[in-house]
């Protein structure tokens, strides 16, 4: 099994599979190779299963990782350079100013696309939150967050945070995420009462929760 070994000042062994399927082992500074190999044997089934899943995802969505395509509301849109002054979506394409075209501008392109998605997220999520107010919910504010693991949050005051990457999700999942956080303005927990609130508005929430997990790889983008 091929892997990259990273030794650091830590007490435990950990295995990580990056977005391309590469296996990375993080180990204490002086832990023997024999113990590391034993750890890999113990975790072999988990590693093989998850590496295959991640490699399949990477192959399916490879163009998202080099930003030649982006996902927007669940749709894959091709990025095209054009004589435009700002990034916009037109006819299922993302039109991008030509100044971002040179290969050495890839990081600038990534940041520009990130700002565009952040702006779209704020616009779309604000509209949806205001629309859902008619259902009796009340929130104080919306913050677009950049979390690497969380899709959303809500504090005890009713301040809602939504990850800008959620704008890439299918609209039905976006609605579920927003209702999920709005339900926390009533029940700041995941009790039965909380899920009853969600289910009353999103009867298919269980299948949407399951589907959302398939999109967790999107958290790897725009870092």
């Amino acid at each position: 099994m091929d892997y990259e070994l990273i030794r650091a000042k830590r007490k435990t062994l950990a295995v990580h599979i990056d977005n391309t399927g590469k296996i990375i082992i993080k180990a204490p500074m002086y832990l023997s190779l024999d113990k590391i190999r034993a750890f890999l044997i113990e975790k072999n089934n988990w590693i093989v299963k998850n590496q295959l899943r991640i490699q399949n995802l990477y192959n399916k969505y490879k163009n998202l990782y080099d930003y030649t395509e982006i996902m927007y509301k669940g749709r894959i849109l091709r990025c095209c350079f054009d004589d435009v002054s700002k990034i916009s979506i037109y006819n299922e394409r993302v039109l991008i100013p030509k100044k971002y075209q040179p290969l050495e501008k890839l990081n600038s392109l990534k940041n520009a696309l990130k700002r565009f998605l952040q702006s779209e997220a704020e616009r779309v999520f604000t509209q949806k939150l205001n629309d859902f107010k008619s259902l009796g919910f009340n929130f104080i504010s919306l913050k677009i967050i950049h979390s690497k693991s969380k899709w959303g949050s809500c504090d005890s005051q009713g301040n809602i945070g939504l990850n800008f990457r959620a704008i890439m999700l299918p609209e039905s999942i976006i609605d579920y995420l927003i209702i999920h956080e709005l339900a926390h303005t009533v029940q700041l927990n995941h009790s039965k009462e909380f899920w009853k609130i969600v289910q009353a508005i999103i009867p298919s929430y269980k299948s949407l929760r399951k589907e959302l997990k398939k999109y967790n790889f999107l958290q790897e983008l725009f870092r």
Side-chain angles (χ1 to χ4, degrees):
M1 180 184 295
D2 294 328
Y3 61 90
E4 177 184 351
L5 176 61
I6 299 176
R7 292 188 180 274
K9 291 182 178 180
R10 53 183 297 132
K11 295 181 179 179
T12 59
L13 266 171
V15 58
H16 170 70
I17 304 174
D18 74 8
N19 63 307
T20 67
K22 180 181 178 181
I23 301 168
I24 300 170
I25 304 297
K26 298 180 180 180
M29 292 294 293
Y30 302 109
L31 192 69
S32 71
L33 288 176
D34 285 342
K35 289 186 177 180
I36 293 172
R37 293 189 188 103
F39 173 79
L40 287 172
I41 292 170
E42 178 186 349
K43 298 292 184 180
N44 182 70
N45 289 341
W46 182 92
I47 291 171
V48 170
K49 177 183 176 181
N50 283 278
Q51 184 182 42
L52 180 60
R53 176 182 60 82
I54 291 170
Q55 286 173 336
N56 287 338
L57 273 175
Y58 180 75
N59 291 331
K60 182 177 180 179
Y61 296 113
K62 189 174 182 179
N63 290 340
L64 297 181
Y65 291 96
D66 63 13
Y67 306 102
T68 55
E69 292 177 344
I70 67 168
M71 187 180 289
Y72 180 81
K73 294 184 179 180
R75 311 192 312 272
I76 301 293
L77 306 180
R78 185 72 181 171
C79 294
C80 303
F81 296 99
D82 207 335
D83 293 317
V84 293
S85 59
K86 61 180 181 180
I87 297 176
S88 60
I89 295 174
Y90 180 74
N91 282 349
E92 297 299 301
R93 296 183 302 161
V94 182
L95 302 183
I96 302 169
K98 288 183 177 179
K99 66 180 180 179
Y100 296 113
Q101 190 168 11
L103 287 175
E104 64 270 18
K105 294 284 188 177
L106 180 59
N107 198 53
S108 296
L109 170 62
K110 180 182 74 172
N111 290 332
L113 287 170
K114 182 177 181 178
R115 290 192 297 271
F116 170 72
L117 291 175
Q118 289 169 346
S119 176
E120 284 294 293
E122 185 169 19
R123 179 183 67 81
V124 172
F125 299 165
T126 298
Q127 182 62 59
K128 285 181 176 293
L129 281 164
N130 288 329
D131 289 345
F132 286 137
K133 272 188 173 182
S134 64
L135 299 174
F137 294 112
N138 188 28
F139 72 99
I140 300 301
S141 68
L142 167 67
K143 182 179 180 180
I144 301 300
I145 62 176
H146 299 190
S147 173
K148 296 177 181 179
S149 58
K150 291 195 302 182
W151 286 111
S153 64
C154 179
D155 66 21
S156 58
Q157 283 74 48
N159 299 298
I160 288 175
L162 290 168
N163 195 319
F164 81 92
R165 296 176 182 85
I167 196 63
M168 296 187 270
L169 298 167
E171 199 142 11
S172 58
I173 299 181
I174 294 175
D175 287 346
Y176 159 70
L177 284 173
I178 290 175
I179 291 297
H180 183 115
E181 299 310 331
L182 283 172
H184 278 312
T185 65
V186 181
Q187 289 284 339
L188 198 62
N189 51 48
H190 288 110
S191 62
K192 289 183 179 179
E193 289 74 19
F194 167 83
W195 291 115
K196 285 179 181 178
I197 295 169
V198 175
Q199 186 173 31
I201 302 164
I202 311 278
S204 61
Y205 81 91
K206 289 183 179 179
S207 63
L208 291 172
R209 284 184 72 198
K210 186 176 180 180
E211 188 178 354
L212 175 60
K213 293 180 180 179
K214 298 177 183 178
Y215 291 96
N216 282 342
F217 75 94
L218 294 175
Q219 303 281 20
E220 299 284 341
L221 302 177
F222 298 102
R223 291 193 179 185

